[in-house]
Every structure is written in structure tokens, then in C-alpha cells.
Amino acid sequence: MEFDPDRPRGLLSRADREYLLGLTEMEHEQSKRNAEARIRRRVTEGIVDFYLLVRNLERKDRKQIFEKGMDDSAFRYGLVGMQTFAYMGMKETGMEFEHILGPAVTRAEEAYAAEGFDSTVDVDVTFDVGVTLGAGLDSVAERIRAGEAVGPDEFLSVMGGEGDVLEDVESVTLDLREGGIGMEHGEFVDRVAAFLDGEATWEDEDRVHIAVGDDVGST
């Protein structure tokens, strides 16, 4: 998703978003440190505010947020981003995500049962993550540069990483049989094409070529 810094104010101000998107150049190192400290503070206080939202925001308001928000792809990306941010932050600091996920799901189910059914409920939360190391990012980048097909997960790992591999290629070939997507093939390809400012050409139902940016229409 290409993020729009002009969206209405949320946790971050427009200035915060433009800084994170690299649209603002800081003349002094102190200005950069101030911006980063401001963002850390706002995110921290924003997380704390969720306690107030859970306890005090009316159910009808919460429901409206999600009913209207699900029509916005940025909102759906944001939901994934919320969980990813929490998971990554806890993993990096040695905290078990399950220690937060378990109580969160339990309290939500208890509240839902009480509000919706005037009942109590027993909740058992099972959380299991299996991780298998795949190809290194350098290897994936080299395959993309060589014009070889990569899976969706591999492409996303390069797209979300550092480096300019996607600025060095004329096209990207995706093999949609490799790796999970979590959405329809067509929707995923449309989003990748939009990200690359490119145009997709399907070889078959599982393989697609995407011309990148200025290279659209040049072949």
C-alpha cells in the first residue's frame, strides 16, 4: 500500500508521516532526534489510550469504526500493522506475545458474552507459531535482478526491507503458488502493481510479470 500522508490526524501528525516516509529532510541531527523522540512519545501514549477505548468507548462507536473502516484498504492494512508492530516490539525485547494475546482475547470474549448474551464464558487461547528460515534477502534480490520468479512472501520480504533492489529492475515476476498471500491472487497482484507503479501481464493463472514504473510500455 502506498501511504497517503494527508490522511486525517491519527497517532501521527502529517509531519511525523512525512518524516517516516522520507519526504522531510532534517538539516540538523538534533532535529532528527527530536522528530524520532516525538514519534516514540505519541505512539507510546496512543497505545496507552487503547485501555481507555476498551473501557469507555461505546460499543456502537466501536462497531461503526470497524464497519466503515473495512471499506478502506488502508484501514485493513492498519489492522495488520497494529498486530505486527506489537509482535515485533515484544519479540525484540524478549517478551512473549502470548502473554498479551491471551488476556486480550479472554477479556474480549468475556465482554462479548456479557454484552451480547448476558452470560459468562470460559476461554482457552492457544497460540503457536512455526518459523522456518527461508532464502536470505540478498538471494531473493539477486533472483529478482536476474528476472527469475519469486514467491509472494519472498517479494514482500524484499519490499519491506532496506536497499534499492526494486529501483534496479525493469520487471518483477511472481509465482503465486509459492507462499501464502492471505487474499485473492488478482487483488494481491493489483496491489503490487500499484506499489511498483507498474502494469501486470499474466502468463497463466499462477504466474505474472509486472513491468516497473517508467518501464511500462517500453518493451
Side-chain angles (χ1 to χ4, degrees):
M1 183 193 78
E2 187 172 349
F3 195 92
D4 179 7
D6 291 327
R7 292 180 66 87
R9 170 68 188 265
L11 278 176
L12 303 177
S13 67
R14 176 174 177 172
D16 296 334
R17 293 167 178 168
E18 290 180 342
Y19 173 76
L20 292 174
L21 290 168
L23 301 177
T24 300
E25 293 186 8
M26 298 292 184
E27 296 182 0
H28 305 290
E29 185 64 26
Q30 185 61 48
S31 298
K32 179 181 178 181
R33 289 197 295 268
N34 290 344
E36 292 169 347
R38 182 182 68 241
I39 290 170
R40 291 196 302 269
R41 183 174 63 253
R42 286 178 174 167
V43 172
T44 299
E45 297 304 328
I47 291 173
V48 174
D49 281 342
F50 275 103
Y51 179 75
L52 179 64
L53 292 173
V54 168
R55 289 178 58 90
N56 296 90
L57 187 68
E58 293 287 343
R59 183 181 184 183
K60 63 178 179 61
D61 294 314
R62 181 175 65 240
K63 187 175 180 180
Q64 285 185 43
I65 289 171
F66 283 84
E67 285 180 340
K68 295 180 179 179
M70 293 309 288
D71 293 330
D72 180 0
S73 62
F75 181 85
R76 298 195 299 272
Y77 272 103
L79 288 176
V80 176
M82 285 173 56
Q83 315 310 318
T84 303
F85 187 83
Y87 185 93
M88 290 178 64
M90 296 185 69
K91 187 178 182 69
E92 289 165 349
T93 51
M95 300 172 64
E96 293 292 337
F97 189 62
E98 186 174 7
H99 293 170
I100 296 297
L101 181 66
V105 173
T106 297
R107 291 171 187 171
E109 290 290 351
E110 289 173 346
Y112 186 79
E115 294 175 0
F117 303 100
D118 192 26
S119 174
T120 60
V121 64
D122 291 325
V123 181
D124 180 25
V125 180
T126 301
F127 180 68
D128 183 43
V129 178
V131 179
T132 302
L133 292 179
L137 295 184
D138 289 343
S139 173
V140 175
E142 287 305 315
R143 286 165 54 204
I144 292 177
R145 291 190 181 101
E148 298 178 15
V150 297
D153 290 340
E154 292 176 318
F155 174 79
L156 291 173
S157 71
V158 173
M159 185 179 76
E162 297 181 357
D164 57 358
V165 59
L166 297 178
E167 298 178 2
D168 299 336
V169 297
E170 296 181 354
S171 66
V172 172
T173 301
L174 298 175
D175 187 339
L176 301 174
R177 295 168 298 183
E178 301 293 332
I181 302 176
M183 65 183 74
E184 294 293 328
H185 285 181
E187 182 182 0
F188 177 76
V189 170
D190 288 345
R191 293 184 180 183
V192 173
F195 174 80
L196 296 175
D197 191 23
E199 182 177 297
T201 302
W202 291 83
E203 181 178 319
D204 55 44
E205 63 181 11
D206 294 315
R207 192 179 179 94
V208 61
H209 306 284
I210 304 176
V212 177
D214 295 337
D215 294 296
V216 175
S218 63
T219 57

